[in-house]
Amino acid sequence: MQFTLADIWAHTGLFARFIIFTLAFMSIASLVVMAERIFVFRKTRSDSRTFAAKMGAILAKGDLTAAANTNLGKDVGHLGRVINSGLTAYKISPSNKDVAVESVARALERQAQREVQSLKRGLGVLATVGSTAPFVGLLGTTMGIVNAFQLMAEAGSGGLGTISAGIAEALITTAFGLLVAIPAVMAYNFLQGWVDARSVDISESSNEFLDVVARQLTGGAASHSPSA
């Protein structure tokens, strides 16, 4: 037996091939999630920055009614959807300052939770692949060792040539399991850190917007009406 990938593959059993195909599927799934999440994260960050620049200029004037009636389109990113939910709550809130502020705060919190959960979509796949791929490879390793002992028993001897095929089968599944798991774990940690950072950004922006609402209601409660 020549220890090349083609020769090792030719000597692997059905169970080892099943393990390898399973790991290949897990690898493809994790790569798809990585690519999709990176694309989504880049777009939502760009849209959020554009929204923040436009809406920030409007809110700097202190006119929440004008801000609530401004339509900046659908592509406003995660930050835009959170702030828009607060503006919508402001438009329909009662004239009582405390009730209005509380209503806006709840709307911001609800939408923020939705956005964070949306950003986390697919990360469970990466976590699952990263945590289970080594064990799937270990399962193939175990069966490879069992096959090696079976070959040893059939041959009635324990020479290296007798068990080399089984050992090679065991090692290749272990290596493949690690090869699948390592990128998945690294991608999960990176993307989860990105989501955590955006969660902080959303929280800070929501608090700043809530301060603007409180100042507006304190200084201009008379001009604020539910139909605005």
Side-chain angles (χ1 to χ4, degrees):
M1 176 181 176
Q2 299 296 320
F3 287 94
T4 63
L5 289 178
D7 204 44
I8 292 175
W9 173 258
H11 285 80
T12 54
L14 290 178
F15 187 82
R17 292 187 179 186
F18 171 74
I19 292 295
I20 292 174
F21 280 124
T22 300
L23 289 171
F25 174 78
M26 295 170 68
S27 178
I28 293 172
S30 64
L31 290 174
V32 169
V33 171
M34 290 179 207
E36 188 269 343
R37 285 292 90 186
I38 290 174
F39 173 79
V40 169
F41 287 179
R42 287 172 64 91
K43 187 177 187 306
T44 190
R45 181 176 61 181
S46 176
D47 292 342
S48 294
R49 287 178 175 177
T50 302
F51 173 86
K54 295 179 179 179
M55 185 57 69
I58 299 174
L59 292 177
K61 301 176 183 178
D63 191 351
L64 282 175
T65 302
N69 293 326
T70 300
N71 184 8
L72 296 179
K74 295 182 179 179
D75 296 331
V76 293
H78 58 276
L79 182 60
R81 287 186 288 271
V82 172
I83 299 302
N84 281 338
S85 69
L87 289 171
T88 300
Y90 172 81
K91 289 174 65 176
I92 64 176
S93 61
S95 56
N96 182 278
K97 172 182 177 296
D98 293 334
V99 176
V101 171
E102 184 65 24
S103 176
V104 172
R106 287 196 300 268
L108 292 170
E109 183 178 0
R110 285 194 300 269
Q111 189 61 36
Q113 291 175 350
R114 294 190 191 102
E115 293 301 322
V116 171
Q117 288 302 314
S118 178
L119 292 174
K120 287 183 177 180
R121 186 177 302 141
L123 296 189
V125 174
L126 295 178
T128 301
V129 170
S131 61
T132 60
F135 293 103
V136 175
L138 183 61
L139 178 60
T141 299
T142 303
M143 294 306 298
I145 297 297
V146 170
N147 290 338
F149 279 110
Q150 287 179 342
L151 292 173
M152 185 188 303
E154 292 173 359
S157 62
L160 182 60
T162 304
I163 63 173
S164 60
I167 297 298
E169 177 183 317
L171 294 178
I172 198 67
T173 55
T174 300
F176 200 14
L178 294 175
L179 187 64
V180 172
I182 291 172
V185 171
M186 294 176 65
Y188 173 80
N189 290 334
F190 171 77
L191 296 175
Q192 182 61 52
W194 195 94
V195 172
D196 292 341
R198 299 295 77 75
S199 178
V200 173
D201 292 342
I202 290 173
S203 179
E204 291 178 351
S205 299
S206 297
N207 289 333
E208 291 175 3
F209 176 76
L210 201 58
D211 290 340
V212 173
V213 171
R215 288 195 298 268
Q216 175 73 12
L217 292 175
T218 300
S223 62
H224 172 235
S225 63
S227 61

